[in-house]
Amino acid sequence: DAFQSSYLNINYNILLYDCSLKKSEQQLFPLAFAHPTAIIMGSEKNGINRDLLKVCDAKVRIPMSEKISSLNVSVATGIIIYEAIRQRQ
C-alpha cells in the first residue's frame, strides 16, 4: 500500500517507479537503474492505486509504436526488469 511504499522510499532510499501508459510520462530507457529501485506495476484492469501513485518518484512508460496501444503487464514487467539488469551489468 501507499504507506509501505512511502516507508521504503524514506527509510531505505529506494526509488519508486510506476509504469504507466500516459504519453506525458518519462520514457524507460533514459532512466538510470544504478540506484536501488522498486517498480510498481498495476493490474491490467484497474491500473495502480491513486494513493500509491502519489508516493512514486517517477511515472515511467515503455516507448511503443503508435499501432500498439498497450502491453500485457507481464510483458511490460519483463521489459523493465531486463533494462534494469542490462544497466547494472
Side-chain angles (χ1 to χ4, degrees), residues 1-69:
D1 73 356
F3 175 77
Q4 289 173 330
S5 298
S6 181
Y7 179 84
L8 286 175
N9 191 312
I10 293 168
N11 293 310
Y12 293 98
N13 201 25
I14 295 174
L15 292 175
L16 301 173
Y17 294 153
D18 76 76
C19 188
S20 175
L21 291 174
K22 297 178 183 175
K23 292 186 178 184
S24 63
E25 309 302 346
Q26 186 169 350
Q27 287 199 23
L28 169 66
F29 300 110
L31 283 177
F33 284 94
H35 192 80
T37 306
I39 301 162
I40 311 298
M41 304 294 289
S43 72
E44 293 173 22
K45 183 178 179 182
N46 299 320
I48 300 170
N49 178 287
R50 289 181 187 177
D51 292 333
L52 187 53
L53 286 171
K54 292 176 186 176
V55 298
C56 289
D57 296 294
K59 292 172 179 36
V60 180
R61 70 179 174 93
I62 298 169
M64 297 185 291
S65 164
E66 291 179 13
K67 295 178 183 179
I68 301 171
S69 62

